[in-house]
Amino acid sequence: MFHRRELANAIRFLTVDVVQKANSGHPGTAMGMADIAEVLWNDFLRHNPVNPRWINRDRFVQSNGHGSMLTYSLLHLSGYGVTIQDLKDHRKLHSKTPGHPEYGVTAGVETTTGPLGQGFATAVGMALAEKKLAQEFNRAGFPIVDHFTYVFVGDGCLMEGVAQEAASLAGTLKLNKLVAVYDDNKISIDGETPGWFADDSAARFRALGWNVIADVDGHDAGAIAAAFAAARQSQDRPTMICCKTVIGYGSPNKQGKEEVHGAPLGVEEVARTREHLGWAHEAFIVPDAVMQAWDARPRGEKAEAEWRTLFERYRTKHPDLAAELERRSAGRLPDGFDAAFAREADRILGGEPIRQPIRKASNRVLGNLLEGLPEVIGGSADVSVSTLAWTSAARSITPDDFSGNFVHYGVREFGMSAMMNGMAAHGGLIPYGACYLVFSDYSRNAVRLSALMGLKAIFLYTHDSVGVGEDGPTHQPCEQLVALRAVPNMSLWRPGSELEALVAWESALKREGPSVIVAARQEGGVFAHESSDIDGIRRGGYVLKDSGAKPDIVLAATGSEIGLILEAAAVLEEQGKAVRLASIPNGNLFARQDRGYQESVLAFGTPTVFVEAASPLYWYQFLKGPGTVVGVDRFGESAPGPEIYRVMNLTAERIVSEASQLLR
Amino acid sequence: MFHRRELANAIRFLTVDVVQKANSGHPGTAMGMADIAEVLWNDFLRHNPVNPRWINRDRFVQSNGHGSMLTYSLLHLSGYGVTIQDLKDHRKLHSKTPGHPEYGVTAGVETTTGPLGQGFATAVGMALAEKKLAQEFNRAGFPIVDHFTYVFVGDGCLMEGVAQEAASLAGTLKLNKLVAVYDDNKISIDGETPGWFADDSAARFRALGWNVIADVDGHDAGAIAAAFAAARQSQDRPTMICCKTVIGYGSPNKQGKEEVHGAPLGVEEVARTREHLGWAHEAFIVPDAVMQAWDARPRGEKAEAEWRTLFERYRTKHPDLAAELERRSAGRLPDGFDAAFAREADRILGGEPIRQPIRKASNRVLGNLLEGLPEVIGGSADVSVSTLAWTSAARSITPDDFSGNFVHYGVREFGMSAMMNGMAAHGGLIPYGACYLVFSDYSRNAVRLSALMGLKAIFLYTHDSVGVGEDGPTHQPCEQLVALRAVPNMSLWRPGSELEALVAWESALKREGPSVIVAARQEGGVFAHESSDIDGIRRGGYVLKDSGAKPDIVLAATGSEIGLILEAAAVLEEQGKAVRLASIPNGNLFARQDRGYQESVLAFGTPTVFVEAASPLYWYQFLKGPGTVVGVDRFGESAPGPEIYRVMNLTAERIVSEASQLLR
């Protein structure tokens, strides 16, 4: 049996050799956290490299993702499919070892990290998911869902506000199976942190309701193991293990300094580090005995096999629960979903169109759909009722009861969004979370990561424009719609009717990727749908109404502004104009349709007026001839919403006037 | 002498009567914090309602801005220009009393609040500005800059991550003249907070290095006064006074409940509250004696007069310092600024164009300009050297020495940006702060508030595109440029040469509003400027090169992509095409030019290719004829930057091919 330091050194030398070869990368973190990672992965982490998707695996997240070579080394050593060649391809095009760990690119990477603080918040979401699913599925003698979530964080993660938001909620919700490890090395890119980070982090986390294990020597395997063992005993508090470490541990001339953070050691220093740590092996060579000691496949297969045996007994005793867990883990909607959708559509198509706030329409269809969707876990950043995220089907999750389906996230938009990503990445749950559209700003980078990872997370935003009214410009979004639509792989809905809201939720619940649903607080227009509209809505845009074979003018709008183009159309039709009305509830989807379909809706070349109570920038791409965009490109005012619409010149008269100028 | 409760009740009844009349608004906070505000404003706050711009006034910020009636009542009662009619116009169009306090709309409002947590972070910036200016300008016997910054925060503010970031830095930097008051009423919009906010806030702030005065009865004037008196004695720590309060204090049936947070009490409950608190006066009537006791003008004028006397003695002893403080407080650049600009321009125009990273070019011109600009206070969110925000003129501010001009903000993009707003609003300083462009996401709402307030804050973003390379898609912006340009009142620069960078900094330093300067890590193209280009750059876009009288094709680009259109032009010219090259370093500015100027640059109707390594959405607005946008509308990859440009098809060949298609 070797000293475990030798096992940890395998991480260190894979890291320094790879970074040296790539001539770019971050060696310091992996060298500093190698001993901690070695203890966690070899003594505690319950996982199976042969099946990285085993649903009851412990989750491991490296929130300080720039030190990705730590994760890649661990995946290589423990038996995931990361080869030495993969390591040599670090930071090369289409490799399995990109600069930062990427979800979906590398088996064993549970979430994309790099944007600091978010990996931590995402891990909090995973721990929440575990606790929720455990309460839902476990039965006496059957701890089917029963795993830990481990997350490594650096100084940078702890400085970011998103980590505070998630940590505070994790403490409140008593997520005791969450174990964080703080790599307290007192170095960030600017140098020694005490000049800009003097928190007593242990005291801070205690104040947030955490079980804190302070002052652990992060290079003492015994102390580390004792800390993890203690952490796993925590009954009602998440655990933060504060480890004192030396960044770049083992590099005689560079350890403990900023220069080892984000640059190769240099050939000479690599050699000196070999000498210093007594690692006599050549670059990329890990002795067989070390590899064997690291190999987690035998014990992983055994652990999973034991769990499978348990699960089969569970299936016998609780066949419905077993089937339900399998369905949800596979990400399949229930068989009845399409029928529920059809019932809702029939209800809407069969009823009289009414004037109602769009958030209200969205709330109704969502509540009805949710009756049959136990996997959906809603929530809101403290504005449950004003966003109407709180539906007829909602029941609160509380610190002592996770049987509900609605998380009160508090005033924490960014934390909420990152936690939603964690739940979606965990599996078994589909999260939606709400706040006012303007405060999507607070959480933007989490929404972006959701799109980058292709997670099924649904961001519900209300209070969507100057229509917000009296709360004034701080609460009135303008640029947020174009900013969110511009995120690659985004699907943003701004429905203008209950039917459009229904299709938006259907799409969001089915899409393998995030969706944004923007549901205005103000009222939509009053108009009747044909059942054939459903197909058009699903394509992101369609002809709502045509007053003649060949339109003289096209008026296109989204959401609450459909009411305005309906009004304007009535005036123009009186003037003898053939008017086409197009609704484009999802510009992202519409932009992905083929040119023929787009043309069939927008009649390219025909004079066109786009109308949306927001920055006009998004719509110019669809103007292929004479036309204009009626939007809002300045900050709003504090006054009743309808009055602001008039002040902003967002009126049917304006649209008629713009159309008339185009037709002149 | 009346009981001070009566003075506080004036706030309560102005509030409930106004909110009742407006039939919209938030009475709970003002009623709950009235006693605290009364003690602060009547016993401690050093200000002069007759001159709201007195530079040595204490700053007061209500971060829980939805309770704006507290601020408006205080401004009315103490003698600022807010009249009863103004109060009656609460939340009406163009009133002095909009839904949330707005900087520039109401004299006495120091910063716009409402987006939770930010008022607090902005106040931290103000306290930093005070400490910096005090060290710079005060001399023995002359405490010319010597004021406190007071900030009120609610539960929502403390849940937001941005508050954590700013609080942590305030503790680290020992901002002892910052006094925060926590309105601990345990109510947020979703109801009683313990279900989602169980922090021990006193312990948290202690962990962040604050002087915490806990468990103060927020309705006991004596206890409140003692707390403020103690806070002002703190020598090396900011103070947090934790006040237990009852939201909606005085409303017999609604106090302590969520329903009093954001809705009128109702006519009957208003009457009961009058009875309960013994306030016999009619709506909007405050007895003369109460008004007189509140009037802060006599003591305010006296305080300012005393300070002016001191300042005149200071002027005699230190005439240069006095003149300098007056110049900077007035926001005037030094007389030598234009000459410094001209010297830099001459240096650049006189030199050989070289291939260099744009961040490097930006760094050089900034460093040279800063030699003569002591009011500029730079900083970076931990990436001082990789953003090159750290110039030849930079000296670090440290917790014990504020003589420098560079703040190490740590990994706190949002906190940094909100603090910059606080410094700009304070006056005497021009802040710039840097991070990677993709992480502007973290701070977006502070950038938005900067634009809403029209503050002179400069946001420097580097690592601006897929050109970032190996760090991969988490670090490669795509949608950020259009998202930032879409913010109303924004001025975003993406220079492509040292001269463009120089003009960008000139513009940003002169503009009464925020600017974003995006300085690529990658290299720009190599091309020579004419001195006449300066005027074109100042207009946001100009013709860089014309190969004939009437162009066959226009190629337009920004930043590092100018190199690409130069290459493409060479090929097209070889093919006999007349090519015009346009550089549009500031689309926001260019869009504000008259149509004739825009036409003179872009030759509308001529086939046009826009090129930018980012979401193409911004540029369609300028396409007034055949044309296309070559951009990036998907996430990047981890690989060397030039390789990604090829993978993304961002090449001169592509541009030539697009141009050729348009010319076919």
Side-chain angles (χ1 to χ4, degrees), chain A residues 161 165 168 188 190 199 384 412, chain B residues 161 165 168 190 196 199 382 384:
Chain A
E165 295 179 14
S168 171
S188 66
D190 271 10
D199 291 6
S384 309
R412 303 180 180 99
Chain B
E165 296 179 14
S168 171
D190 271 11
W196 46 90
D199 292 6
D382 197 48
S384 310

Side-chain angles (χ1 to χ4, degrees), chain A residues 336-350 369 499 502 506 534 538:
Chain A
F337 180 78
D338 288 335
F341 172 86
R343 273 196 307 279
E344 278 298 285
D346 287 348
R347 175 181 67 75
I348 295 165
L349 289 165
L369 290 177
L499 189 69
L502 174 65
E506 178 205 32
I534 291 173
R538 284 178 176 152

Side-chain angles (χ1 to χ4, degrees), chain B residues 583-651:
Chain B
S583 174
I584 321 277
N586 188 324
N588 294 122
L589 259 180
F590 186 69
R592 281 173 218 140
Q593 303 301 315
D594 61 48
R595 168 104 186 187
Y597 182 75
Q598 292 181 18
E599 168 104 46
S600 77
V601 175
L602 290 178
F604 292 144
T606 311
T608 301
V609 183
F610 283 92
V611 186
E612 184 170 66
S615 165
L617 288 173
Y618 187 72
W619 299 107
Y620 290 104
Q621 66 179 315
F622 297 117
L623 267 186
K624 313 271 184 191
T628 191
V629 183
V630 171
V632 174
D633 56 8
R634 64 181 183 89
F635 288 113
E637 305 274 356
S638 170
E643 197 171 340
I644 303 177
Y645 265 67
R646 286 194 296 277
V647 169
M648 295 283 168
N649 211 2
L650 270 173
T651 60

Side-chain angles (χ1 to χ4, degrees), chain A residues 421-493:
Chain A
N421 290 344
M423 291 181 220
H426 181 280
L429 296 173
I430 302 174
Y432 75 87
C435 68
Y436 297 168
L437 176 58
V438 79
F439 299 121
S440 67
D441 277 4
Y442 276 51
S443 60
R444 251 186 94 73
N445 202 264
V447 175
R448 177 176 219 256
L449 280 187
S450 200
L452 177 56
M453 290 192 261
L455 297 175
K456 189 178 290 191
I458 306 171
F459 302 94
L460 171 63
Y461 300 132
T462 61
H463 296 61
D464 76 344
S465 63
V466 290
V468 164
E470 288 90 341
D471 276 342
T474 54
H475 284 55
Q476 293 166 357
C478 166
E479 70 278 18
Q480 283 70 15
L481 287 176
V482 65
L484 287 162
R485 286 176 181 131
V487 176
N489 190 30
M490 184 42 72
S491 176
L492 183 143
W493 292 92

Side-chain angles (χ1 to χ4, degrees), chain A residues 187-484:
Chain A
I187 290 292
S188 66
I189 296 181
D190 271 10
E192 296 176 14
T193 53
W196 45 91
F197 185 44
D199 291 6
D200 178 342
S201 294
R204 167 157 75 117
F205 276 83
R206 268 187 221 108
L208 305 181
W210 285 57
N211 170 40
V212 175
I213 303 175
D215 296 320
V216 175
D217 177 348
H219 302 294
D220 175 343
I224 297 163
F228 279 117
R232 292 159 54 99
Q233 299 307 313
S234 180
Q235 291 307 303
D236 61 350
R237 286 177 297 163
T239 296
M240 172 62 77
I241 302 174
C242 299
C243 288
K244 307 262 183 219
T245 63
V246 177
I247 193 170
Y249 183 93
S251 159
N253 297 303
K254 297 195 170 181
Q255 68 179 15
K257 297 180 186 160
E258 189 285 316
E259 54 187 314
V260 81
H261 177 276
L265 296 185
V267 175
E268 282 185 29
E269 185 68 10
V270 169
R272 279 192 213 103
T273 305
R274 279 199 147 66
E275 222 168 278
H276 186 70
L277 292 178
W279 185 263
H281 321 293
E282 277 176 46
F284 306 109
I285 300 295
V286 178
D288 286 348
V290 173
M291 284 303 289
Q292 220 170 333
W294 266 105
D295 190 350
R297 286 170 295 191
R299 62 178 186 279
E301 294 205 274
K302 182 158 172 287
E304 185 175 350
E306 285 167 4
W307 180 86
R308 290 209 173 276
T309 305
L310 181 74
F311 189 78
E312 290 312 318
R313 288 203 292 120
Y314 175 73
R315 190 195 304 280
T316 309
K317 189 97 181 270
H318 304 287
D320 293 353
L321 284 174
E324 176 73 358
L325 182 60
E326 284 182 328
R327 174 185 77 74
R328 286 171 49 178
S329 299
R332 284 195 314 273
L333 291 179
D335 290 339
F337 180 78
D338 288 335
F341 172 86
R343 273 196 307 279
E344 278 298 285
D346 287 348
R347 175 181 67 75
I348 295 165
L349 289 165
E352 281 298 302
I354 53 166
R355 185 174 296 280
Q356 62 179 333
I358 295 165
R359 63 176 169 169
K360 181 87 196 161
S362 162
N363 171 272
R364 188 180 306 116
V365 296
L366 176 60
N368 290 344
L369 290 177
L370 289 191
E371 298 294 344
L373 289 171
E375 60 263 59
V376 176
I377 181 164
S380 181
D382 197 47
V383 281
S384 309
V385 174
S386 50
T387 58
L388 288 176
W390 182 263
T391 71
S392 54
R395 284 161 299 125
S396 296
I397 284 174
T398 71
D400 298 306
D401 183 1
F402 273 57
S403 64
N405 64 354
F406 194 93
V407 181
H408 295 276
Y409 288 98
V411 190
R412 303 180 180 99
E413 298 82 2
F414 197 2
M416 170 177 80
S417 305
M419 286 174 64
M420 287 165 60
N421 290 344
M423 291 181 220
H426 181 280
L429 296 173
I430 302 174
Y432 75 87
C435 68
Y436 297 168
L437 176 58
V438 79
F439 299 121
S440 67
D441 277 4
Y442 276 51
S443 60
R444 251 186 94 73
N445 202 264
V447 175
R448 177 176 219 256
L449 280 187
S450 200
L452 177 56
M453 290 192 261
L455 297 175
K456 189 178 290 191
I458 306 171
F459 302 94
L460 171 63
Y461 300 132
T462 61
H463 296 61
D464 76 344
S465 63
V466 290
V468 164
E470 288 90 341
D471 276 342
T474 54
H475 284 55
Q476 293 166 357
C478 166
E479 70 278 18
Q480 283 70 15
L481 287 176
V482 65
L484 287 162

Side-chain angles (χ1 to χ4, degrees), chain A residues 466 473 476-479 613-616 631-637 644 646-649, chain B residues 93-94 448 452 486-489:
Chain A
V466 290
Q476 293 166 357
C478 166
E479 70 278 18
S615 165
V632 173
D633 55 7
R634 64 181 183 90
F635 288 113
E637 304 276 356
I644 303 177
R646 286 194 296 277
V647 169
M648 295 284 170
N649 210 2
Chain B
L93 190 67
H94 299 150
R448 176 177 219 258
L452 176 56
V487 176
N489 191 29

